[in-house]
Amino acid sequence: MKLSIKKTIAFFCAGLALALCGTALVSAQQPSPDAIAQSPQGGAWEIRHNPASSALYMPRVVKQAYSKQTRSPDGRPGKNYWQNRSTYKMNITVTPPNRTVSATEEITYFNNSPDPLSDIPFRLYLNAHRPEAIREKDVDETFLTSGIQVDEFRINGQVKAWNDPNNPRASFNTPGNTLHLIRLEQPLPPGGSITFSIRWRYDITVQGGWKEGAIDQTTFFLAYFFPRVHPYNDTSGMDMTPFTLGREFNNDFGDYTFEVKVPKNFVVWATGDLLNPQEVLQPTYAQRLQESFTSDRVITIAQPAELQQGRVTAQSDTVTWKWQAKNVADIAIALSNHYIWDAGSVVVDPKTNRRASVQSAYTAAAPDFTRMVEFGKRTLAWASTQYPGVPYPYSKTSIILGGTKGADEEYPMMVNDSSNLDKEGKPNYTTTRFVASHELLHTWFPFYMGINEKRYPFMDEGWTTAFEHLLAKEDMGEEQAIAYFKAYRTSLWSLPGFITDLPIITPHDSLFGAGSAAVGLNPYGKAALGYLALKELMGDVAFKQVLHEFMARWNGKHPLPWDMFNTFNDASGQNYNWFFNNWFFSYNYLDLAVKSVQPTNSGYTLQVENVGGMAMPFDVQVVYADGSKASFRQNPRIWKDSPQMATIQIRSTQKLKSLTLDGGIFMDLNPADNTWTASSS
């Protein structure tokens, strides 16, 4: 999700949650005796944690996972690691302009845990549209609906009450709650499975401001729309944290087979592979689609006029599109009877020459989308070979034109993006590519890696934002990429505020309220800077090797931050806890200052004070008396043993005229003290 360009939704820390996380973090940062450094004037510097050899703060539930050996202190999944999963079969009917979506659904849920399960929580995300739902921003009446309505519910074929008054947890199932608890008559034993059959319906919202809904009268985007079993995991059990609008998600992996019945002349795009193209498309268009799977060029599969003339889809009154997606965390569906449909393909695995299909769907009112397949192909090829450098794991992706506001969201094999035009209505291709690339890069984090983005969004938004910047440097050039990163990623975080200094590790689902910092800054720019600083600290080769090891260990699973940090230590053979503490567990910020510049026999000695405390890289840019210039890059490792002050030797026979500390995308809170100028005397 791209919160920096789309409207941000932000949060303050709820009092109790902040108190709890703050207590834990402060207790983990009690300074050792060597954490008090002396200033040149003899006074004590601010007491700061010197984490060079200390362990990372760890919640008790993570420690318990180590005791149970579901996770290992070296960062690997433990010998007793497990995760539950489900298979989903759905028959979905949509008949625009009627906004009611109806479906039958069969869920087979597998309990791979060592625990008997008495309660099964179903997640009903679209209940967030109900008037009674908890919200963190204002909405108007067009946003509100009656949520998901369950008309029939069965367990192993037997009809059961969806709202059972005898359920001891029935009081939990209030209107507007996005969780619905079902109490089983007999607990589901370890290794057991159970089948739920649900007949349900909901009305699509007409305000497309939350990544789903009616884009126009006959164009719908279905997301987060079906009842699903909420994850049960080895660290927090059945996580019952409420879901509110604008938050991210946490889903189990599952296998999906689903059918979407729509009127003729509607095209359906969805997560997964289309199983019956010859049945739903007339021969010419089925052939175009097939050719696009191996084509390097962009092929227009269908135009709106062709749809209106009844030439594209089968001409029975209704057409059923059949889809299948395996081992994904979610699915999304889009449909329209007047969208342009483009497609092409790109090699995503040079070793095997495997290709992935890239498709886009849009209207003529979004001329920037005419290059969307091109942008998508570039992103998938780059990400598959550069960063993260793991081949795109799916067979296709579809990039759909969403609403003018509130789009820009990722789903497995799907993207819902806004159009970007300048004031004159001309395409802003740069921003369109920038946004689309970000959403496509989410394929690896959170989908390939199974991140709990609801609690630790810095593990997906941070990585994705870092990759986005590396790609932008190649596509835009370094100067423009830096300008974009500063504008959209670090400009707000570099300012002081009540929330901006919260540690990145703060559980995101413990934050609530107003203010943009909690959502828009920590998981995005702040975390991305941490990963980019780590890349520079380790060096590109070692960094990528360890990143690949982390991904190999945890793809298709549910890694926690400690699994990631410990893998980086274990796989590199180094202890980077000092760095992880500094960036992810501290209240530090970005602020350097020139403390002193003194001439020496071999040049100059520069002392740089780390006022904000972050172990950040920076350039020392010098201008000599003769007007010549030089720049000296400083690696984050200079802060490892001396986190408050760095001494830098500038070796030169020339006289210095001026000196400036430049952090680039690591924007300094107070740049006024970053420059030294030689006295005229």
Side-chain angles (χ1 to χ4, degrees):
M1 180 170 66
K2 191 158 187 55
L3 280 163
S4 58
I5 293 180
K6 59 197 175 187
K7 185 177 180 181
T8 60
I9 305 166
F11 308 87
F12 285 118
C13 192
L16 177 60
L18 178 57
L20 291 174
C21 70
T23 300
L25 288 164
V26 170
S27 66
Q29 298 190 46
Q30 296 303 311
S32 58
D34 62 346
I36 302 177
Q38 295 295 315
S39 73
Q41 290 74 29
W45 289 109
E46 172 189 352
I47 296 177
R48 280 205 192 94
H49 179 44
N50 185 348
S53 60
S54 65
L56 303 177
Y57 156 74
M58 186 179 298
R60 285 168 286 177
V61 292
V62 179
K63 293 179 181 178
Q64 291 172 0
Y66 292 161
S67 299
K68 296 176 181 178
Q69 296 185 303
T70 56
R71 298 172 191 264
S72 173
D74 63 6
R76 291 182 172 87
K79 68 177 185 178
N80 296 328
Y81 179 81
W82 56 267
Q83 62 191 48
N84 291 350
R85 63 181 296 116
S86 301
T87 61
Y88 293 83
K89 297 179 181 179
M90 286 182 277
N91 295 86
I92 304 161
T93 299
V94 195
T95 57
N98 185 319
R99 292 187 294 107
T100 298
V101 176
S102 59
T104 59
E105 177 178 1
E106 181 179 283
I107 307 171
T108 301
Y109 179 64
F110 299 90
N111 181 16
N112 298 321
S113 81
D115 309 317
L117 303 179
S118 298
D119 293 299
I120 304 295
F122 285 83
R123 183 64 81 175
L124 308 174
Y125 287 122
L126 292 189
N127 277 359
H129 284 284
R130 289 180 63 100
E132 309 91 340
I134 298 173
R135 274 181 282 274
E136 296 172 287
K137 66 173 183 176
D138 293 334
V139 298
D140 61 34
E141 290 185 357
T142 63
F143 183 86
L144 301 178
T145 72
S146 57
I148 292 183
Q149 303 295 308
V150 173
D151 296 320
E152 184 179 82
F153 179 64
R154 295 173 182 263
I155 300 178
N156 290 333
Q158 299 297 312
V159 175
K160 301 292 181 181
W162 177 250
N163 290 297
D164 183 0
N166 297 318
N167 182 349
R169 305 286 291 276
S171 61
F172 184 85
N173 298 332
T174 56
N177 197 337
T178 60
L179 274 176
H180 187 93
L181 282 177
I182 294 294
R183 169 60 61 92
L184 301 179
E185 294 177 358
Q186 297 293 329
L188 179 62
S193 65
I194 190 169
T195 299
F196 303 102
S197 301
I198 312 173
R199 183 160 53 87
W200 53 265
R201 56 190 160 82
Y202 78 95
D203 291 337
I204 291 178
T205 177
V206 297
Q207 184 197 92
W210 185 48
K211 334 301 178 205
E212 50 79 34
I215 297 170
D216 58 47
Q217 284 192 334
T218 57
T219 305
F220 296 168
F221 197 96
L222 281 55
Y224 326 120
F225 63 96
F226 57 93
R228 68 193 75 197
V229 178
H230 189 61
Y232 179 73
N233 61 62
D234 65 310
T235 55
S236 53
M238 287 291 186
D239 179 8
M240 306 302 285
T241 307
F243 173 81
T244 57
L245 292 177
R247 298 305 183 101
E248 297 287 12
F249 302 88
N250 178 30
N251 299 314
D252 274 329
F253 288 93
D255 296 332
Y256 292 81
T257 303
F258 56 102
E259 299 181 357
V260 185
K261 182 190 292 186
V262 294
K264 63 183 178 182
N265 302 325
F266 275 79
V267 175
V268 177
W269 300 269
T271 299
D273 296 314
L274 178 61
L275 301 180
N276 62 337
Q278 304 294 335
E279 295 177 11
V280 298
L281 295 171
Q282 295 185 36
T284 296
Y285 301 89
Q287 180 64 28
R288 290 180 187 176
L289 179 61
Q290 184 62 36
E291 289 176 1
S292 74
F293 293 153
T294 56
S295 174
D296 287 322
R297 64 185 180 89
V298 178
I299 297 174
T300 297
I301 308 299
Q303 292 275 11
E306 295 171 310
L307 284 164
Q308 293 164 9
Q309 294 163 7
R311 296 162 51 190
V312 178
T313 74
Q315 289 300 290
S316 53
D317 289 342
T318 60
V319 181
T320 300
W321 298 63
K322 300 178 181 179
W323 298 87
Q324 185 176 71
K326 293 186 176 181
N327 202 38
V328 294
D330 201 356
I331 63 167
I333 298 169
L335 54 104
S336 180
N337 65 350
H338 61 274
Y339 264 31
I340 301 166
W341 182 9
D342 292 342
S345 71
V346 63
V347 173
V348 293
D349 189 348
K351 291 183 179 179
T352 64
N353 211 35
R354 178 173 64 84
R355 286 179 173 265
S357 170
V358 179
Q359 304 179 31
S360 66
Y362 58 99
T363 68
D368 51 322
F369 266 65
T370 59
R371 297 181 61 186
M372 190 59 87
V373 170
E374 172 192 335
F375 297 155
K377 289 172 58 177
R378 163 62 175 163
T379 299
L380 295 193
W382 182 89
S384 295
T385 56
Q386 301 303 313
Y387 283 97
V390 173
Y392 181 73
Y394 305 127
S395 61
K396 61 176 274 287
T397 189
S398 299
I399 307 166
I400 311 298
L401 173 67
T404 56
K405 295 181 180 179
D408 307 331
E409 183 73 352
E410 71 280 356
Y411 315 85
M413 302 183 232
M414 292 281 281
V415 170
N416 179 1
D417 264 353
S418 302
S419 175
N420 297 280
L421 308 178
D422 64 20
K423 294 181 179 179
E424 298 177 352
K426 296 179 180 179
N428 184 341
Y429 292 118
T430 300
T431 298
T432 294
R433 176 170 58 180
F434 179 78
V435 176
S437 294
H438 179 94
E439 310 309 341
L440 289 170
L441 288 166
H442 268 300
T443 294
W444 289 267
F445 295 83
F447 302 131
Y448 183 74
M449 295 298 291
I451 302 299
N452 180 351
E453 49 182 331
K454 178 166 65 88
R455 178 159 296 164
Y456 298 117
F458 77 91
M459 292 184 70
D460 73 289
E461 296 294 358
W463 280 114
T464 297
T465 302
F467 300 151
E468 158 208 294
H469 178 64
L470 297 174
L471 173 58
K473 287 204 300 183
E474 292 191 16
D475 285 353
M476 298 180 181
E478 187 160 358
E479 182 177 349
Q480 190 173 16
I482 289 174
Y484 261 69
F485 197 96
K486 286 182 174 181
Y488 296 128
R489 300 308 188 189
T490 55
S491 59
L492 289 176
W493 175 57
S494 66
L495 300 174
F498 288 107
I499 303 176
T500 50
D501 294 346
L502 281 179
I504 296 173
I505 198 67
T506 306
H508 190 266
D509 51 359
S510 71
L511 302 176
F512 189 90
S516 64
V519 162
L521 305 181
N522 258 2
Y524 289 80
K526 191 173 179 182
L529 288 174
Y531 295 134
L532 292 169
L534 178 62
K535 175 177 176 287
E536 190 160 347
L537 173 68
M538 298 179 67
D540 290 353
V541 173
F543 174 80
K544 185 175 284 190
Q545 288 175 343
V546 174
L547 175 61
H548 286 181
E549 177 63 20
F550 170 54
M551 296 179 73
R553 291 180 181 184
W554 286 98
N555 91 80
K557 300 181 178 67
H558 296 298
L560 295 172
W562 294 268
D563 302 314
M564 178 175 69
F565 298 139
N566 291 339
T567 292
F568 267 77
N569 286 339
D570 175 69
S572 67
Q574 303 292 322
N575 187 343
Y576 289 110
N577 281 355
W578 71 273
F579 180 88
F580 298 140
N581 266 312
N582 180 280
W583 266 96
F584 296 93
F585 292 81
S586 78
Y587 293 85
N588 293 335
Y589 55 95
L590 300 171
D591 190 11
L592 303 179
V594 175
K595 191 64 179 177
S596 66
V597 179
Q598 300 293 334
T600 66
N601 292 333
S602 59
Y604 292 84
T605 295
L606 163 67
Q607 281 195 312
V608 179
E609 180 183 356
N610 197 336
V611 180
M614 281 295 195
M616 59 181 286
F618 61 98
D619 291 310
V620 179
Q621 298 177 343
V622 301
V623 178
Y624 295 108
D626 64 0
S628 61
K629 299 178 181 179
S631 183
F632 306 98
R633 185 66 172 175
Q634 304 303 310
N635 190 285
R637 74 172 61 93
I638 67 172
W639 306 112
K640 180 176 185 291
D641 298 317
S642 181
Q644 283 88 44
M645 187 75 71
T647 301
I648 300 168
Q649 301 299 328
I650 301 174
R651 303 190 184 281
S652 176
T653 58
Q654 301 187 65
K655 186 176 181 180
L656 276 183
K657 179 181 179 181
S658 65
L659 174 153
T660 300
L661 310 178
D662 183 4
I665 59 174
F666 295 81
M667 291 181 67
D668 198 285
L669 171 66
N670 180 24
D673 58 11
N674 286 18
T675 297
W676 169 89
T677 302
S679 61
S680 57
S681 58

